[in-house]
């Protein structure tokens, strides 16, 4: 066992019995590198990463490679999900040097943390276009000992190039007046009109693109935005990206038809897809979308919900050393499990055949394995029979060896899911979803929230550790805002404000605007970065803009919205250059340009009439609208939190006050007048 045996990360523990003398990231490793005058070999990955497993098996479990590494380097393993700050820094270096990134990420650096080599996966033996570990390690060792100056010059050039990347987010310009239309045109140019989604293959779900399009449709009535979003939602749900047997979404599709997925299941994907299908149902009332949202929650409950109610991080793509083995089916196995009639129906509906329904990527031969997928939604008359069949297959599949569970609890990903559960609960009429969000927040608040308002990033085996980063703060605040809008507990709004104030104090770029990914007290690497690109998940600054706008409208404190607008100024250059890469940010921008409403409902207590008022407001108000509920029980706290709410007096009859574009209408006391006040004709 090496030094990783005492770590909490499931990924690091996967490498605890490697012959490589791994260190976790920390002072001990760099002190040893300085004392022994060795470079540092940094390997970054995560527990459910397929190619991380491949490189580990080929090289890190190999005595020959390990011997070379131990002689030449001080070796450090990092879980990118535990330390996204380290990963972000060195991934930028890799993309800068190689033009691409991914995991496993391989960095070789000086003992002063200055990199001079970067790559992703490296095989044991050299291939035609990729050097192998057996050749690379001796070469680096030789150059380090005989031509150190060459390495140091290279490290200086790389550091200088990285410094230029820190200039991102320092603009003083404005977003283009056509930015929203430019975004639609950019997405439309890459839209697949047959299978949905954007681009060819691999094809990623990118739920924030769909949220942008759905809100664009609601705000402007644009039919093309609605069409792109709804087709994509339907095709993803019908395809192999969705686990029809056990529910939940896989990571992405390796083909353009959503058939063959990369099989890992990530918590953040479930959260973002839950938001997208909730919004899809709101605009279309397609029952398949509501069903999908509910079944995502079913999957979360069965597979990722931890004791206590927070949620684990992910399930691996691999089982028994093979990617996807847990999820695919041979036709003969289905016929052995189901009755003849049910087997025939299932194979017809879900495209199952004896040859298999997809090609092996390397051989281009059919394998006999099948990924269940649909061409069309199941007809109403077959729904019950199909559900019974899926349940029977799900019960049978439980006997297989399941992929590994990454059972760490991350504050940022849980914050994102809390937001998704709260939104889904209030718009789908599922109060149990809101209760699940409340329970998850209860775990985070008791374990990861500090008295100062600071957050800890990771919870494992009951122990919270690692100072929070920007994602932890922005996603948690996002979750608390959505929880308040769903449950109207002013305690959630109080905590959102307290955490936001701590975040502003410790992460904000007060000169240019926006937020750094790390606080001033974090590990000193090559410089503090700011993120705006919306990749697999929205960026911290994109979510910060959303939070700032909504906190401003809920509290009446315009400084929050000013900070949000400063984000768009700081990153205007990047967003103008490629708006389709920033759709979560631009979703907030389009909300800011629309007629959002601030609504206050007053009542002695929450009752049926109040609930009817709330539902009408939720159904008819524009995206970005906010609702405050003021009762005798919440009045004191709301008056403290929201400066303008103190002017709304609680009377015997429930009343609704609607403000649009900084203009407030007279209060209304019945449903008919409320609908009229909301501008519904």
């Amino acid at each position: 066992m090496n030094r990783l045996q005492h770590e909490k990360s499931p990924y690091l523990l996967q490498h605890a019995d490697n012959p490589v003398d791994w260190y976790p990231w920390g002072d001990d490793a760099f002190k040893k590198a300085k004392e022994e005058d060795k470079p540092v070999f940094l390997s970054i990955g995560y527990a459910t990463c397929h190619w991380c497993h491949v490189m580990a098996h080929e090289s890190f479990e190999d005595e020959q490679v390990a011997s070379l590494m131990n002689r030449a380097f001080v070796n450090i393993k990092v879980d990118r999900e535990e330390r996204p700050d380290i990963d972000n820094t060195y991934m930028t270096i890799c993309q800068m040097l190689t033009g691409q990134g991914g995991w496993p990420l391989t960095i070789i650096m000086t003992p002063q943390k200055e990199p001079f080599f970067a790559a992703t996966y490296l095989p044991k033996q050299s291939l035609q276009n990729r050097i192998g570990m057996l050749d690379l390690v001796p070469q680096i060792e030789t150059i380090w000992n005989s031509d150190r100056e060459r390495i140091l010059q290279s490290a200086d050039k790389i550091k200088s190039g990285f410094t230029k990347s820190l200039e991102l987010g320092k603009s003083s310009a404005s977003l283009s007046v056509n930015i929203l239309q430019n975004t639609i045109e950019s997405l439309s140019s890459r839209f697949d009109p047959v299978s949905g989604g954007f681009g060819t293959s691999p094809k990623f779900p990118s739920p924030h693109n769909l949220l942008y399009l759905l809100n664009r449709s609601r705000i402007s009535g644009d039919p093309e935005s609605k069409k792109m979003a709804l087709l994509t939602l339907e095709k993803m749900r019908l395809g192999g990206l969705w686990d029809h047997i056990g529910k939940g979404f896989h990571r992405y599709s390796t083909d353009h038809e959503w058939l063959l997925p990369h099989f890992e299941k990530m918590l953040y994907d479930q959260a973002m897809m839950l938001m997208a299908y909730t919004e899809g149902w709101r605009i279309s009332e397609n029952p398949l979308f509501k069903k999908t949202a509910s079944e995502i929650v079913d999957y979360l409950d069965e597979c990722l919900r931890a004791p206590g109610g927070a949620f684990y991080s992910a399930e691996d793509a691999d089982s028994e050393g093979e990617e996807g083995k847990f999820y695919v089916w041979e036709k003969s196995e289905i016929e052995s499990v189901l009755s003849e009639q049910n087997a025939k129906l299932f194979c017809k509906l879900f495209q199952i055949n004896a040859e298999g329904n997809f090609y092996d990527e390397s051989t281009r031969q059919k394998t006999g394995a099948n990924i269940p997928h649909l061409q069309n939604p199941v007809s109403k008359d077959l729904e019950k029979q199909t559900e019974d069949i899926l349940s029977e297959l799900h019960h049978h599949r439980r006997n297989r060896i399941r992929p590994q569970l990454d059972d760490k609890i991350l504050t940022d990903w849980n914050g994102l899911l809390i937001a998704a559960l709260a939104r889904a609960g209030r718009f789908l009429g599922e109060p149990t979803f809101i209760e699940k969000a409340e329970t998850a927040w209860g775990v985070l608040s008791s374990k990861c929230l500090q008295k100062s308002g600071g957050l800890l990033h990771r919870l494992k085996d009951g122990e919270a550790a690692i100072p929070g980063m920007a994602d932890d703060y922005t996603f948690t605040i996002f979750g608390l805002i959505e929880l308040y809008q769903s449950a109207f507990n002013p305690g959630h709004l109080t905590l959102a404000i307290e955490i936001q104030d701590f975040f502003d104090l410790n992460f904000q770029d007060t000169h240019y605007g926006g937020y750094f990914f790390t606080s001033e007290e974090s590990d000193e690497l090559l410089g503090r970065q700011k993120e705006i690109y919306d990749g697999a998940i929205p960026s911290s600054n994109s979510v910060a803009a959303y939070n700032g706008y909504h906190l401003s409208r809920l509290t009446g404190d315009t400084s929050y919205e000013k900070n949000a607008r400063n984000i768009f100024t700081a990153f205007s250059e990047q967003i103008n250059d490629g708006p389709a890469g920033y759709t979560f940010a631009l979703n907030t921008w389009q909300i800011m340009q629309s007629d959002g409403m601030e609504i206050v409902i007053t009542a002695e207590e929450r009752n049926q009439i109040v609930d009817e008022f709330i539902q009408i407001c939720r159904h008819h108000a524009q995206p970005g609208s906010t609702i405050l509920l003021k009762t005798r029980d919440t009045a004191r706290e709301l008056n403290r939190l929201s400066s303008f709410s103190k002017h709304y007096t609680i009377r015997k009859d429930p009343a609704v006050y609607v403000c649009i574009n900084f203009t407030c209408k007279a209060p209304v006391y019945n449903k008919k007048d409320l609908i009229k006040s909301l501008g519904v004709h």
Side-chain angles (χ1 to χ4, degrees):
M1 300 287 282
N2 54 47
R3 291 166 179 80
L4 301 183
Q5 62 183 298
H6 304 297
E7 294 299 303
K8 295 288 187 182
S9 159
Y11 176 64
L12 298 187
L13 291 172
Q14 286 174 0
H15 296 270
D17 58 356
N18 290 170
V20 177
D21 185 18
W22 291 116
Y23 279 74
W25 181 275
D27 292 340
D28 289 349
F30 290 101
K31 181 180 178 183
K32 180 180 173 68
K34 291 172 185 174
E35 289 174 349
E36 297 186 3
D37 192 29
K38 288 182 177 180
V40 171
F41 184 97
L42 173 63
S43 178
I44 303 177
Y46 56 103
T48 58
C49 165
H50 172 70
W51 284 102
C52 299
H53 299 331
V54 173
M55 188 169 176
H57 179 66
E58 288 180 345
S59 295
F60 304 147
E61 296 170 10
D62 182 85
E63 294 284 354
Q64 184 183 9
V65 175
S67 177
L68 292 173
M69 291 176 66
N70 293 337
R71 187 183 72 197
F73 305 129
V74 171
N75 301 289
I76 297 178
K77 260 287 175 196
V78 165
D79 181 341
R80 67 170 289 258
E81 295 168 356
E82 275 199 340
R83 295 301 304 267
D85 53 336
I86 298 170
D87 179 59
N88 289 351
T89 294
Y90 293 109
M91 184 60 73
T92 300
I93 296 292
C94 184
Q95 291 168 333
M96 192 172 71
L97 294 181
T98 69
Q100 60 185 12
W103 299 275
L105 174 60
T106 303
I107 297 287
I108 305 177
M109 66 176 91
T110 70
Q112 288 72 39
K113 304 178 185 176
E114 297 178 353
F116 56 86
F117 175 88
T120 52
Y121 161 76
L122 295 172
K124 177 183 176 181
Q125 305 277 359
S126 294
L127 303 175
Q128 186 175 2
N129 297 315
R130 195 178 290 263
I131 192 169
M133 291 291 288
L134 290 178
D135 291 325
L136 173 68
V137 178
Q139 286 183 27
I140 297 291
E141 184 179 27
T142 298
I143 298 171
W144 179 263
N145 291 324
S146 64
D147 196 0
R148 182 78 58 90
E149 190 60 31
R150 177 178 156 197
I151 282 179
L152 296 178
Q153 288 175 357
S154 177
D156 283 343
K157 288 180 181 178
I158 292 168
K159 185 177 179 181
S160 175
F162 179 84
T163 300
K164 293 177 182 177
S165 75
L166 302 180
E167 295 301 309
L168 298 176
K170 292 185 177 181
S171 175
S172 57
S174 301
L175 290 181
S176 164
V177 294
N178 300 317
I179 192 67
L180 299 177
Q181 184 58 34
N182 293 346
T183 307
I184 294 295
E185 291 174 0
S186 178
L187 291 171
S188 182
S189 69
R190 296 187 295 112
F191 179 65
D192 181 342
V194 176
S195 299
F198 305 92
T200 53
S201 60
K203 190 177 277 186
F204 292 84
S206 301
H208 34 279
N209 288 348
L210 307 180
L211 293 170
Y212 175 85
L213 291 169
L214 291 167
N215 275 341
R216 188 84 209 120
S217 172
R218 289 181 63 206
I219 291 169
S220 70
D222 175 25
E224 187 64 23
S225 297
K226 180 178 178 180
K227 176 183 175 183
M228 287 191 284
L230 297 184
L231 178 65
T232 301
L233 288 169
E234 179 175 295
K235 292 297 185 180
M236 289 192 301
R237 175 56 172 79
L238 297 179
L241 187 74
W242 172 255
D243 179 2
H244 292 267
I245 307 299
K247 306 173 184 175
F249 279 97
H250 298 295
R251 179 72 276 275
Y252 62 86
S253 179
T254 62
D255 65 305
H256 72 281
E257 298 174 322
W258 307 110
L259 170 59
L260 176 58
H262 180 46
F263 286 94
E264 65 187 321
K265 291 181 178 179
M266 311 299 294
L267 181 65
Y268 59 73
D269 282 325
Q270 313 312 316
M272 293 303 298
M273 294 295 249
L274 179 56
M275 287 188 212
Y277 279 91
T278 296
E279 294 303 311
W281 182 80
R282 288 183 69 198
I283 202 169
S284 70
E285 295 192 349
N286 182 337
L288 180 64
F289 297 165
K290 187 173 185 179
K291 176 183 172 68
T292 303
S294 295
E295 290 184 342
I296 290 172
V297 180
D298 290 343
Y299 165 72
L300 292 166
D301 277 344
E302 181 183 356
C303 300
L304 293 184
R305 196 168 191 258
F311 292 87
Y312 295 134
S313 295
E315 286 194 292
D316 206 336
D318 297 13
S319 56
E320 301 180 72
E322 185 177 330
E323 181 177 3
K325 185 173 183 179
F326 180 77
Y327 297 102
V328 299
W329 299 79
E330 292 186 357
K331 186 180 181 185
S332 58
E333 183 182 9
I334 290 168
E335 292 171 337
S336 72
V337 174
L338 302 175
S339 68
E340 182 178 352
Q341 179 186 5
N342 283 347
K344 187 175 181 180
L345 174 63
F346 181 80
C347 290
K348 180 181 179 181
L349 285 177
F350 287 87
Q351 316 294 305
I352 309 296
N353 57 63
E355 299 80 27
N357 59 22
F358 67 94
Y359 292 93
D360 180 271
E361 288 180 303
S362 56
T363 65
R364 302 303 298 165
Q365 299 293 315
K366 288 192 174 181
T367 64
N370 291 271
I371 300 170
H373 65 288
L374 294 164
Q375 292 295 332
N376 299 291
V378 176
S379 61
K380 202 163 187 63
D381 59 317
L382 291 175
E383 273 185 4
K384 176 64 169 63
Q385 186 179 359
T386 304
E387 289 300 316
D388 291 343
I389 291 170
L390 292 172
S391 178
E392 191 172 352
L393 290 174
H394 185 41
H395 180 75
H396 174 77
R397 198 178 74 175
R398 287 195 180 107
N399 296 319
R400 297 179 180 178
I401 296 174
R402 194 170 190 92
Q404 180 177 340
L405 174 69
D406 185 337
D407 62 349
K408 65 179 180 292
I409 293 167
L410 297 176
T411 297
D412 50 352
W413 297 2
N414 273 263
L416 203 58
L417 182 62
I418 288 167
L421 285 169
R423 287 184 68 84
R426 74 174 182 265
F427 291 125
L428 301 181
E430 295 284 356
T432 59
F433 293 2
I434 300 171
E435 291 168 11
K436 293 177 196 298
E438 296 262 19
T439 302
W441 169 242
V443 175
L444 294 188
S445 63
S446 65
K447 298 289 187 179
C448 300
L449 177 62
Q450 300 174 298
K451 291 182 180 179
S452 63
L455 293 169
L456 295 172
H457 172 62
R458 187 262 288 140
L459 177 63
K460 179 74 164 64
D461 300 331
E463 177 191 303
I466 306 173
M469 286 149 273
D471 284 358
D472 296 300
Y473 288 89
T474 56
F475 294 0
T476 296
I477 296 162
F478 182 21
L480 287 167
I481 290 170
E482 296 302 321
L483 260 181
Y484 175 74
Q485 292 286 269
S486 298
F488 298 109
N489 176 353
H492 295 138
L493 189 55
T494 296
L495 285 172
I497 292 167
E498 288 178 3
I499 297 170
Q500 180 69 50
D501 289 346
F502 182 94
F503 183 54
D504 287 343
L505 183 64
N506 291 278
F507 289 77
Q508 191 171 27
D509 182 347
T510 55
H511 186 72
Y512 292 101
Y515 296 87
F516 295 108
F517 192 76
T518 54
S519 73
E520 291 179 337
E521 283 73 42
S522 62
D523 271 343
E524 182 65 35
L525 295 175
L526 302 177
R528 295 173 75 195
Q529 293 178 293
K530 294 193 292 186
E531 292 192 328
I532 189 64
Y533 178 72
D534 296 322
I537 54 177
S539 71
S540 51
N541 274 288
S542 293
V543 180
Y546 179 95
N547 295 342
Y549 172 81
H550 285 82
L551 284 177
S552 178
R553 298 310 168 101
L554 286 166
T555 66
D557 185 342
T558 57
S559 67
Y560 293 123
E561 185 167 345
K562 180 182 177 183
N563 290 340
R565 291 184 178 275
N566 286 344
I567 291 171
F568 293 106
T569 300
F571 290 101
S572 58
E573 187 177 333
Q574 289 78 44
I575 297 174
N576 285 333
D577 283 348
Y582 312 97
T583 49
F584 196 93
L586 288 170
N587 187 41
T588 298
W589 182 253
Q590 70 178 341
I591 287 171
M592 286 178 165
Q593 314 310 307
S594 69
D595 294 330
M597 302 173 182
E598 295 91 51
I599 300 166
V600 180
I601 302 174
T602 62
E604 290 188 338
E605 61 181 7
R606 185 169 178 176
N607 55 30
Q608 183 178 343
I609 294 172
V610 171
D611 283 341
E612 289 175 354
F613 285 168
I614 290 169
Q615 288 306 111
I616 290 169
C617 292
R618 286 173 175 169
H619 184 71
H620 292 293
Q622 283 277 65
S625 297
T626 56
I627 303 174
L628 284 171
L629 176 60
K630 184 176 180 179
T631 65
R632 297 216 178 273
D633 289 340
T634 65
R636 179 176 294 182
E637 192 165 3
L638 271 188
N639 287 344
R640 179 178 60 82
L641 295 171
S642 178
S643 59
F644 63 87
S645 69
K646 64 183 68 172
H647 302 293
Y648 295 98
T649 304
I650 296 173
R651 297 184 173 89
K652 182 179 178 181
D653 294 324
V656 186
Y657 301 80
V658 177
C659 298
I660 307 174
N661 267 338
F662 308 102
T663 303
C664 297
K665 301 185 177 185
V668 295
Y669 302 94
N670 60 66
K671 292 186 286 186
K672 181 180 178 181
D673 288 342
L674 175 57
I675 290 171
K676 184 178 179 181
S677 184
L678 293 170
V680 181
H681 303 291

